[in-house]
Amino acid sequence: MSAVGWGGVGWGGVGWGIAGCGWVARDHALPALTATPGARVVALHDRDPGALARVDVDAPAHADLGAFLATPGLDAVYVAVPNAAHREVVEAVAAAGKAVLCEKPLAADAGDAQAMVTAARDAGVLLGTAYDQRWHPAHVRLRELVPELGTVTALRIVYCCWLPADWTPDGRPHDNWRVDRARAGGGAAIDLAPHGLDLAGVLLGEDVVELRALLQRRVQDYPVDDGALLSGRTAGGVLVDLHVAFNTPDALPRRRLEVVGTRGMAVAVDTMGQTAGGSLTLHRPDPVDVPFAGDSPFAAQFAAFTAAVAGTAPAGTAWPYDAARDLALHRLLLTALGDAR
């Protein structure tokens, strides 16, 4: 069991550390964490001093991982380093007895992902995968609507964006490691498809168990895929279709989620992303706008994980997503991508 004890956190709340201070951590994770009741950011880690300098948080910053993990009051770590470095950091965090929330995908390859899950299990610490789309308020509401759709036959997701090799989130020089096979493990498919695979299982209550992929290198000038189509089937026979891409201009419609059933169809537009925006419509057959409200996906995710670490979540709901299940989906994806190359 972790030193945190999933209920053994002191009165100061859950002390969080951020390992990897790139744009996702800086622009989305940190604002969500600092606004989460019962959470406080106590330490930062990144091997790049420039990345640490760009984070505006009053917490000790460490280039050395060991010094970061030795920070007093550190209970949980959010890992947002490049995919190929996940294993090193997660194993060190687990060995230090800290809970760990690791960005998707779990790792760049299946062996590292398995090692991470094993390390957390052996150390008795909580390991979660940061699939923030589980927590989008529109997707939470859609999950409640699924029984009204009758027998679900298909789930379709379009999750695309524009990511050239020289992409930068803020106009400043940026290390775009997501298009570096050695550090990311691939391109658009390994970066974006994990969200769709996870979300399919969360919405339907049954996971994809068969998966095939077609990869595309058509627009961007880098040696990894800039687009992909993935088709799969759940254990119960629901067909799942994913289109993910780094080659769709942001000015175009590029984010859509559809769940089709025998009595209705639910359509979410512009919900796949880091904010709580977008729309949700229920067709049965006439369209009806479905309201939803809630925190950003990152805020809801950190609130849930913080409660799990602190032991303040309702009984039986501490953290509902088992790391072994996330590992199985990751293996399924990597096998399909390997077959497609």
Side-chain angles (χ1 to χ4, degrees):
M1 179 63 71
S2 162
V4 171
W6 304 349
V9 176
W11 290 107
V14 174
W16 277 90
I18 306 296
C21 295
W23 72 275
V24 170
R26 183 190 71 217
D27 295 351
H28 299 289
L30 276 165
L33 258 179
T34 54
T36 297
R40 54 198 173 89
V41 179
V42 300
L44 305 172
H45 165 65
D46 201 293
R47 291 178 175 176
D48 177 9
L52 290 172
R54 287 191 288 271
V55 176
D56 185 18
V57 174
D58 185 16
H62 302 278
D64 179 75
L65 180 59
F68 164 77
L69 292 173
T71 302
L74 181 66
D75 302 312
V77 176
Y78 168 66
V79 176
V81 298
N83 301 340
H86 283 182
R87 177 179 179 177
E88 176 189 357
V89 177
V90 169
E91 287 184 333
V93 173
K98 317 299 183 184
V100 56
L101 180 64
C102 182
E103 264 299 339
K104 59 78 207 166
L106 270 175
D109 63 60
D112 282 357
Q114 176 65 71
M116 292 160 52
V117 173
T118 299
R121 182 198 63 208
D122 291 349
V125 301
L126 176 61
L127 170 62
T129 310
Y131 288 122
D132 53 90
Q133 293 307 297
R134 297 167 170 170
W135 307 97
H136 192 291
H139 303 157
V140 173
R141 183 71 183 98
L142 176 52
R143 185 178 184 179
E144 299 169 347
L145 293 176
V146 167
E148 300 181 27
L149 304 180
T151 300
V152 176
T153 58
L155 183 148
R156 300 188 285 261
I157 290 178
V158 175
Y159 191 13
C160 302
C161 63
W162 182 257
L163 195 81
D166 61 355
W167 180 85
T168 172
D170 52 17
R172 292 181 290 189
H174 177 71
D175 177 18
N176 189 13
W177 58 263
R178 285 172 175 78
V179 298
D180 178 353
R181 184 180 301 281
R183 290 183 290 170
I190 199 169
D191 189 66
L192 299 176
H195 279 303
L197 281 179
D198 172 72
L199 192 55
V202 169
L203 293 175
L204 301 174
E206 57 181 88
D207 282 324
V208 174
V209 295
E210 301 175 53
L211 188 66
R212 297 173 180 83
L214 292 173
L215 301 181
Q216 176 184 58
R217 284 180 55 199
R218 184 165 175 82
V219 176
Q220 307 295 3
D221 184 22
Y222 40 67
V224 293
D225 55 285
D226 64 359
L229 289 175
L230 298 98
S231 59
R233 181 162 47 197
T234 69
V238 180
L239 299 180
V240 175
D241 175 80
L242 309 175
H243 174 209
V244 296
F246 285 164
N247 58 26
T248 303
D250 292 341
L252 298 178
R254 57 192 174 84
R255 300 187 180 187
R256 185 179 179 92
L257 163 62
E258 301 175 349
V259 183
V260 185
T262 55
R263 295 202 306 267
M265 175 178 176
V267 179
V269 176
D270 291 336
T271 59
M272 301 290 294
Q274 289 89 4
T275 69
S279 64
L280 177 60
T281 305
L282 178 62
H283 299 259
R284 222 172 27 177
D286 296 329
V288 176
D289 291 336
V290 178
F292 58 88
D295 293 330
S296 76
F298 277 86
Q301 174 178 249
F302 280 118
F305 201 86
T306 296
V309 174
T312 59
T317 62
W319 184 254
Y321 303 107
D322 185 73
R325 176 261 183 185
D326 296 344
L327 175 61
L329 283 182
H330 187 55
R331 285 186 179 280
L332 187 71
L333 174 61
L334 291 180
T335 298
L337 298 184
D339 292 343
R341 289 186 179 123

